[in-house]
Amino acid sequence: MSSEFRVRTGGPTPRAIIDPGIEELSWRGDQPPDPLEAGVWELYLEGVSTRVTTVACEPGALTVTIRSGASFEDCELALGIVRRSAAFGEGNVDTGDAGEVSLDQLDQRFGADWQRGQLQSAARISIHLARERGLIEMPGPTRSVWVGERVTQELEDGDDAVVAERLVAVMRRVLWPEPRYEAASEFTVTDPGGDSFTLGMLLPERPCVLPRTDRLAIAAGEEAFLIPRPALAELPVRSTWLDDGNQLVEGVAVDRWADLCRAAQRHRLDGS
């Protein structure tokens, strides 16, 4: 579940209300003007955030959304915007189910215990849904985190009191790998018969994060051919699962790429 906080700000709202000048702060899409205009902005902390914080601006009001699975730092980022908005505006915050609260009440009700509780709830709900329905997708700032059997086992392995920390660790592992790993290109392809599938691309000398796809394209000279995604396990390449959809794939040197292509040819899909 997401949590929304609505604040009546009155007149034109300075950009500094939502942009406190944090070095790690990044924006998905356009950055907001100063003063703010009507619109929606998405922001996150580079290398830290597990979910994107959304700020919707309308004449005389701001609505800040904290998504389920947001890290402690994401919660503080969002609640900081709420506090500054309330201090600039009428002083109270509409929290939805909890009603309208003052700034003092906001800090009491939505402090560290609430932040830990929403993360624990996100972990437990993800475990339940993954068992009941299969893979669960949690979109993040850089890619989606996939919760299935592998992640469920990891979340359940240890003291339940720190399941929040385990969820954050899994999500950050997926969202913020070492910079040397590129995000592998991902495509959606429709074949002549009208069926669609997702496709990831493997290239030589490219350590990458390979997203969850149906098939892989292997670059072989001037052409490329397709193999099923599970066939990656049969190729001479080192890979590590980050969750139940994304894998870290180590780069393959050019002088070893021909060996990989020969191994992949055994799994080549018809027509590719």
Side-chain angles (χ1 to χ4, degrees):
M1 292 179 58
S2 298
S3 300
E4 289 190 351
F5 303 82
R6 189 172 189 273
V7 182
R8 292 184 292 275
T9 55
T13 305
R15 169 175 167 153
I17 294 293
I18 68 172
D19 182 2
I22 300 172
E23 183 178 354
E24 296 83 6
L25 188 67
S26 294
W27 304 88
R28 177 184 282 177
D30 294 336
Q31 295 191 24
D34 191 8
L36 299 180
E37 299 173 354
V40 177
W41 292 277
E42 295 184 321
L43 57 158
Y44 59 90
L45 299 173
E46 188 81 23
V48 174
S49 288
T50 54
R51 301 299 299 267
V52 169
T53 296
T54 300
V55 179
C57 180
E58 57 186 288
L62 283 182
T63 300
V64 180
T65 302
I66 300 176
R67 291 180 171 86
S68 175
S71 69
F72 299 103
E73 293 87 349
D74 290 323
C75 291
E76 280 304 312
L77 173 66
L79 290 169
I81 295 171
V82 174
R83 293 186 195 102
R84 290 189 295 275
S85 300
F88 175 78
E90 297 183 7
N92 289 338
V93 180
D94 182 355
T95 65
D97 291 343
E100 192 166 281
V101 300
S102 67
L103 276 173
D104 287 342
Q105 291 171 323
L106 180 78
D107 290 335
Q108 291 169 7
R109 296 187 186 185
F110 297 94
D113 289 343
W114 176 83
Q115 295 173 26
R116 177 175 297 279
Q118 68 87 20
L119 271 169
Q120 290 173 332
S121 177
R124 291 164 184 156
I125 290 173
S126 296
I127 290 170
H128 173 76
L129 291 178
R131 284 179 169 163
E132 187 177 81
R133 303 181 186 178
L135 283 177
I136 303 301
E137 181 182 10
M138 299 179 70
T142 58
R143 59 183 56 86
S144 287
V145 177
W146 294 92
V147 179
E149 182 178 356
R150 184 177 291 104
V151 171
T152 293
Q153 290 177 353
E154 185 172 347
L155 293 177
E156 292 185 315
D157 184 17
D159 187 350
D160 188 59
V162 291
V163 68
E165 283 81 358
R166 288 199 294 275
L167 176 62
V168 169
V170 169
M171 297 182 75
R172 283 185 178 151
R173 183 176 70 211
V174 175
L175 298 169
W176 307 110
E178 294 179 31
R180 69 187 184 91
Y181 292 100
E182 300 180 8
S185 298
E186 180 181 0
F187 307 92
T188 299
V189 179
T190 302
D191 64 23
D195 294 326
S196 296
F197 58 89
T198 53
L199 178 67
M201 177 75 74
L202 281 186
L203 299 170
E205 296 190 316
R206 296 276 185 91
C208 67
V209 180
L210 189 64
R212 179 176 180 264
T213 58
D214 301 312
R215 303 178 187 180
L216 296 178
I218 306 296
E222 298 298 320
E223 65 166 1
F225 60 90
L226 307 185
I227 64 173
R229 169 65 182 271
L232 179 68
E234 306 298 322
L235 304 186
V237 58
R238 288 188 295 139
S239 63
T240 304
W241 285 102
L242 294 173
D243 57 0
D244 286 282
N246 297 283
Q247 285 175 278
L248 277 187
V249 180
E250 300 296 339
V252 177
V254 171
D255 60 1
R256 293 177 49 232
W257 190 251
D259 294 336
L260 183 143
C261 291
R262 281 191 291 271
Q265 285 284 358
R266 294 195 290 269
H267 305 278
R268 183 170 184 162
L269 293 169
D270 293 341
S272 69

